[in-house]
Amino acid sequence: MTLLALGINHKTATVEVREQVAFTPVQLEKALTELRALSVVHEAAVLSTCNRTELYCVVDDAGEQPVLAWLSRFHDLRIEQLTRCAYHYHEGEAARHLMRVAVGLDSMVLGEPQILGQLKDAYQFARTHKGLGGELERLFQHTFAVAKQVRTETAIGENPVSVAYAAVSMASHIFDDFSRATALLIGAGETIELVARHLFDAGVGSLIVANRTRERAERVAGSINAQAISLDEIPDALAKADIVISSTAAPLPILGKGMVERALKKRRYRPVFMVDIAVPRDIEPQVGELSDVFLYTVDDLQEVIEENRRHRQVAAEQAETLIEQGVEHWQHERRIRSAGDLIRRYRGYGDELRAASEAQALAQLARGEDPEKVVSRLAKQLANKLMHGPTLKLREASGAQRQDLIKAAEALLLDPSAPSRDS
């Protein structure tokens, strides 16, 4: 079996493709169940964020292509289209990729802290829905330990910057005085909470938080003295908003061109700054065609993100070193476990031979046979059975000139302290 990491991210696929491949929360259980049901898949976990969709699986040696084919079927995409932007890693490379994702080295914003929480959620979901076995369980636990070490021993997490921060930073370049601006935030997840906190700290004039359930909007709004509304109230709030930042898990856009046009008319066409952080997108791309709207997606935050990347490069190099050590440790422990499995199987084989020989000897004793002859025959038969298989394999190895196998057999089968026949 093989460890496989397969997916797409912001570096390999545009937002148009990413939103097609993203799993909504309501799809996740069905997706994990289907993926786990593939005959080649033994364990599986699904990570889906605005910047990446990744599958972590333990598969048969030929399992990669069936997993890719399943992903294309699930999202009704041509497999050729998916293949062009998908990446895949196996074994140690897969473990290394997961660790780099966990510490934010593979993120759009270098070192951003949100991804670790999202990865822990994906792990917990897979665990709850029986997607994990021993292999992925150990890998995720080891990855979280490495991520904690990186956060503790490097500056990768100092002054944490996220996509949320980048969005607010971009807005600050457009509005000279935040205190006179009204911001409408759509969603109530972790990203919107971060956006709300950054805007509040920057002194934005007023904040409105809209969400499908008003209770969740109130939870976000409560700590920052913001107004909470439902999605039905967005058209009225939109007319007041100078800044609109959206990040929901809705499968379809929430803001359409017509709704925004009507809001602009009420605003007397005062400009609006919009950032759509969601994947799939919350704001129809056609909204960006309106002359008084400045619409950006996560892919447009690159300049702010690159500045962050430069400041964190030294910490990133230190993190890479810790990850390499983490991968080596994981591989070492895995090899030990693999040898342990072989030892258990070999001891089980020896126990089966012993039990069979013992039963045969006891039956002979019960029939009144000479005990000395029974014991002698037992010892000879048991030795012959134990040596038969290795003897055949050694002859085959000798005929094939496999000196590596012969040397390994010599080290494994012969006791160096035992005297030779010639001594």
Side-chain angles (χ1 to χ4, degrees), residues 21-35:
V21 182
F23 293 96
T24 65
V26 295
Q27 290 177 317
L28 269 178
E29 185 173 353
K30 179 174 183 288
L32 187 62
T33 300
E34 286 189 12
L35 179 58

Side-chain angles (χ1 to χ4, degrees), residues 184-295:
L184 170 62
L185 309 181
I186 304 174
E190 186 178 355
T191 298
I192 287 298
E193 286 193 71
L194 283 171
V195 170
R197 176 54 57 185
H198 289 315
L199 285 170
F200 181 79
D201 292 343
V204 73
S206 61
L207 275 166
I208 304 169
V209 180
N211 193 56
R212 183 173 55 84
T213 56
R214 185 187 288 268
E215 291 78 15
R216 290 197 65 186
E218 289 172 347
R219 179 176 56 78
V220 175
S223 62
I224 53 173
N225 195 29
Q227 178 187 356
I229 64 173
S230 65
L231 296 185
D232 294 338
E233 299 172 88
I234 284 178
D236 291 334
L238 200 55
K240 307 171 190 174
D242 305 297
I243 301 167
V244 178
I245 301 177
S246 188
S247 178
T248 77
L252 297 173
I254 292 172
L255 300 186
K257 186 177 181 182
M259 183 191 297
V260 177
E261 281 180 317
R262 289 188 291 275
L264 285 172
K265 188 174 181 180
K266 291 180 182 179
R267 290 173 57 81
R268 298 188 179 182
Y269 299 98
R270 285 181 290 118
V272 182
F273 170 76
M274 294 185 170
V275 181
D276 189 353
I277 304 176
V279 178
R281 284 173 286 187
D282 285 337
I283 304 174
E284 285 184 352
Q286 291 78 8
V287 170
E289 298 170 3
L290 299 173
S291 57
D292 298 297
V293 173
F294 300 90
L295 175 61

Side-chain angles (χ1 to χ4, degrees), residues 213-390:
T213 56
R214 185 187 288 268
E215 291 78 15
R216 290 197 65 186
E218 289 172 347
R219 179 176 56 78
V220 175
S223 62
I224 53 173
N225 195 29
Q227 178 187 356
I229 64 173
S230 65
L231 296 185
D232 294 338
E233 299 172 88
I234 284 178
D236 291 334
L238 200 55
K240 307 171 190 174
D242 305 297
I243 301 167
V244 178
I245 301 177
S246 188
S247 178
T248 77
L252 297 173
I254 292 172
L255 300 186
K257 186 177 181 182
M259 183 191 297
V260 177
E261 281 180 317
R262 289 188 291 275
L264 285 172
K265 188 174 181 180
K266 291 180 182 179
R267 290 173 57 81
R268 298 188 179 182
Y269 299 98
R270 285 181 290 118
V272 182
F273 170 76
M274 294 185 170
V275 181
D276 189 353
I277 304 176
V279 178
R281 284 173 286 187
D282 285 337
I283 304 174
E284 285 184 352
Q286 291 78 8
V287 170
E289 298 170 3
L290 299 173
S291 57
D292 298 297
V293 173
F294 300 90
L295 175 61
Y296 299 89
T297 69
V298 287
D299 290 354
D300 298 315
L301 304 178
Q302 199 61 41
E303 185 176 341
V304 177
I305 288 160
E306 280 305 315
E307 183 179 354
N308 161 262
R309 186 178 296 276
R310 287 191 294 273
H311 289 160
R312 294 192 175 187
Q313 200 56 51
V314 173
E317 291 170 3
Q318 295 169 341
E320 295 282 13
T321 299
L322 291 176
I323 286 171
E324 284 306 309
Q325 294 172 1
V327 172
E328 289 174 10
H329 180 71
W330 173 77
Q331 289 176 320
H332 175 72
E333 292 297 316
R334 201 178 185 215
R335 285 192 293 267
I336 291 175
R337 287 194 302 273
S338 176
D341 291 340
L342 176 60
I343 290 169
R344 281 190 292 275
R345 295 205 311 272
Y346 185 65
R347 290 185 70 90
Y349 169 69
D351 284 340
E352 288 178 7
L353 293 181
R354 177 198 54 75
S357 297
E358 182 182 32
Q360 185 179 15
L362 289 172
Q364 290 168 352
L365 290 172
R367 290 196 298 268
E369 294 189 28
D370 183 349
E372 187 174 338
K373 290 182 179 178
V374 169
V375 171
S376 176
R377 190 160 52 239
L378 168 65
K380 184 179 295 185
Q381 287 177 346
L382 193 54
N384 285 338
K385 286 177 180 179
L386 285 171
M387 292 187 292
H388 178 69

Side-chain angles (χ1 to χ4, degrees), residues 103 144-158 322:
V103 302
F144 297 148
V146 170
K148 182 178 180 180
Q149 182 186 14
V150 169
R151 293 283 171 186
T152 302
E153 298 183 14
T154 77
I156 196 76
E158 288 184 5
L322 291 176

